[in-house]
Amino acid sequence: MDTQELLRTLPKVNRLLEREDVAALALAHPRPLLLDALRDAIEETRDGIRHGQVDSVSEDDVVLRATVLLARAAHRSLHRVINATGIVVHTNLGRSPLSEVAVDAVVEVARGYSTLEYDVESGERGSRHTHVEELLKRLTGAEAAMAVNNNAAAVLLGIAGLARGKEAIVSRGQLVEIGGSFRISDIMRESGAKMVEIGTTNKTHLHDYESALTPQTGLLLKVHSSNYRVVGFTEEVPLADLVHLGAQHGVPVFEDQGSGVLIDLARFGLPGEPTVLSAVAAGADIVSASGDKLIGGPQAGILVGKWHTIQKLKKHPLARAVRLDKMTLAALEVTLRLYLDEKRLLAEVPTLRMLTIPAAELESRANAFAAAVAAACGDAYDVHTAPDVSRAGGGALPMADIPTTVVSVASRTGSVVELEQRLRLGEPTIVARIKDGRLLLDPRTLTLAEEAEIADALARAVREA
Ligand SMILES: *Cc1c(COP(=O)(O)O)cnc(C)c1O
């Protein structure tokens, strides 16, 4: 058959819809998706004919291809992942998992109506800020507080609210980029403030700030180095000194704390980060932080500080554009409530629980997990436990190597690249690390149930390999 004849044998969509197997697909899938899949499968076959790769048209093959395309289109794009990387606040994997009580609160307010902006006592309109303001004040010692969509929005609102049309002074050592596309210099431009850079990458002194102050100065900004460190010959000005300088000249001071540490982590062998509390205590006018880093809550931006300053930000037009939705507020309120009881906090907020698991517990978890993994993988794989490091990740505790014990898997005959791929593409999606040719599974970011799921997935992957 020549190409023209072959093209004439391509099935029509209507003809395919009459088939019994396609009728079954129509029952299981929305019609627009089914039609797209059939058209795409026919189109692919047409291309194949034109390129000489198809020399006979089989209707069954077209339907088979449409079935594959349909399965792909029907699969939810945003779905659960099992995180075996040991990176606790993994930005690409959604940062902090929520506590069970926070999840319950989200479900409750999502399902029905809620007190989002309703004051039960007066029966009148309320403010959505009330749900977290008292808690944030109590936990940070600040006079007032609000929460917005994320910390990038908090920084944008803070700078726009205090320094639009004015100058904002920031040290060159703090002109950072945090993840994807958050650059202080870009945010500054969008907020309408004129950025005045001072000092050098490694050193900025108080007199650098002093000599940059002009009648146009609207803000002194300090950005915490949450995802990098300048090490060696360095100097930055302590927040308390900036506050003192700001007070002398009537200029507010804004600290972007970032990671959102609300408790002393040094007790757990983690690096002692400056906390939101210490920034408030030092006298900053506003302090901002992420809700989903070390606070362990939902994506949100926390703004705490002086009463007048926060009132100004609440009334700013941008505040409406970056406001939180009810589901996030529910999760944030419940997460913050857990901070009132530290025992519950460390047991129930996954991010804090995972960061503070004792090393001995991780080691015994890894031993049991390794036995299950070895049984699943069989003789073709070498499985043992090994000391390694977990990370806080996601712009939090940048330099911290947190000791852990991983389950380490190597193929005796080939590589583990295919194994890693099968885990990633399987159901559920499992994300693991490969290091020096070995597949590493860190129990720190896994539940016991997830460890069992990984063992099952490995058994399947090895069988199908
Ligand atoms: C993470 C971080 C941000 C960005 O916060 P998002 O919640 O991701 O918007 C800004 N500043 C600092 C210092 C950070 O650590």
Side-chain angles (χ1 to χ4, degrees), residues 61-81:
D61 284 351
V62 174
V63 171
L64 195 66
R65 181 64 191 150
T67 309
V68 171
L69 292 174
L70 192 55
R72 203 178 285 165
H75 201 271
R76 262 172 52 205
S77 167
L78 179 58
H79 56 79
R80 177 170 89 106
V81 163

Side-chain angles (χ1 to χ4, degrees), residues 95 150-153 155 176 178 182 184 223-227 256-259 288-293 299-301 394-396:
R95 289 199 181 154
N150 57 13
N151 189 27
V155 175
V176 297
I178 293 151
F182 179 89
I184 291 294
V223 183
H224 178 55
S225 58
S226 57
N227 66 346
D256 174 15
Q257 192 276 344
S259 64
S288 73
S290 294
D292 53 356
K293 291 179 180 169
Q299 178 190 305

